[in-house]
Amino acid sequence: MTGTKGAMTSARLAESMLELIQLHGYSGTGLNTVVEHSGAPKGSLYFHYPQGKEALGEKAVELAAEQFGSLVADSALDAAPPGEVVRRVIDTLAGMLTDSDFRLGCPVSVVTLEMGAQSERLRDACANAFESWIGPVTEYLVAHGRPRTDARAKATAVVSMVEGALIVSRAQRSIEPLRCAAQALAVLLDEGDEGDEGTEASA
């Protein structure tokens, strides 16, 4: 029971850190605010994260990676073509952005931009997060008949374009950049869909 309670407290702290990073950035998020936001007992933060803010930030980035990975997986449950899967993902992200009045961005890009040059630990966490999205998208495209090298390049473009579109959408307070990204990516991913079936999927 103690272990379960401790795991719940640790997760609550990470979830609060993630939400606050989205709202205020990494640098603008203080540990006292995280504890207050999470409702966790005082002193619990350093018990669960003895290495302090960087450790908690790393966990928040990992949590963000898991959440986005689940979104992609859920969007690809049926046999929809890759372009349609990307549209679904972007539609969900656009909804989250408008629901938050354009306040919530991708915490992984936020931490990368703020701390990538200052903390190797956080830079690595962000790099791992991006790779955790690029890798499965690559495998999904391979499963749809794309040669592996091409699939990897397109998966990298997908993640890069979606991340960039999120930033531009927040700046412009409009989901139009996300819509444009969805349209461009659908063309990129579905191009030659018929003809590519059966190509060197495991090359």
Side-chain angles (χ1 to χ4, degrees), residues 66-139:
E66 292 171 8
Q67 291 177 352
F68 186 78
S70 296
L71 171 59
V72 174
D74 290 345
S75 298
L77 284 177
D78 57 23
E84 176 59 27
V85 172
V86 168
R87 283 196 190 94
R88 293 173 184 174
V89 171
I90 290 179
D91 282 346
T92 301
L93 294 175
M96 293 168 59
L97 201 55
T98 53
D99 288 347
S100 70
D101 194 29
F102 294 92
R103 297 178 69 198
L104 297 183
C106 174
V108 180
S109 62
V110 169
V111 174
T112 300
L113 292 170
E114 286 190 32
M115 301 301 298
Q118 300 178 44
S119 168
E120 191 69 15
R121 179 174 188 167
L122 291 174
R123 188 200 66 76
D124 285 345
C126 292
N128 291 335
F130 288 129
E131 180 56 37
S132 77
W133 304 336
I134 293 170
V137 174
T138 298
E139 296 306 318

Side-chain angles (χ1 to χ4, degrees), residues 184-201:
L185 287 171
V187 172
L188 174 69
L189 297 180
D190 292 341
E191 183 179 21
D193 194 51
E194 296 291 330
D196 283 346
E197 295 296 332
T199 56
E200 44 180 329

Side-chain angles (χ1 to χ4, degrees), residues 139-163:
E139 296 306 318
Y140 180 76
L141 293 174
V142 167
H144 276 254
R146 301 298 189 271
R148 185 167 295 278
T149 301
D150 180 59
R152 172 77 186 187
K154 287 182 176 176
T156 302
V158 168
V159 173
S160 301
M161 192 177 293
V162 171
E163 286 293 306

Side-chain angles (χ1 to χ4, degrees), residues 18-25 29 37 100 103-105 170:
L18 174 59
E19 185 174 337
L20 291 168
I21 287 174
Q22 289 178 293
L23 289 171
H24 308 300
T29 298
H37 183 275
S100 70
R103 297 178 69 198
L104 297 183
R170 287 188 74 192

Side-chain angles (χ1 to χ4, degrees), residues 12-14 16-18 20-21 24-60 122:
R12 199 156 72 245
L13 287 164
S16 288
M17 183 67 169
L18 174 59
L20 291 168
I21 287 174
H24 308 300
Y26 179 85
S27 299
T29 298
L31 293 181
N32 289 336
T33 305
V34 175
V35 173
E36 182 180 351
H37 183 275
S38 69
K42 288 184 177 180
S44 61
L45 191 147
Y46 283 103
F47 176 79
H48 293 288
Y49 299 97
Q51 293 176 307
K53 186 175 179 179
E54 277 196 351
L56 185 56
E58 180 182 41
K59 186 64 178 179
L122 291 174

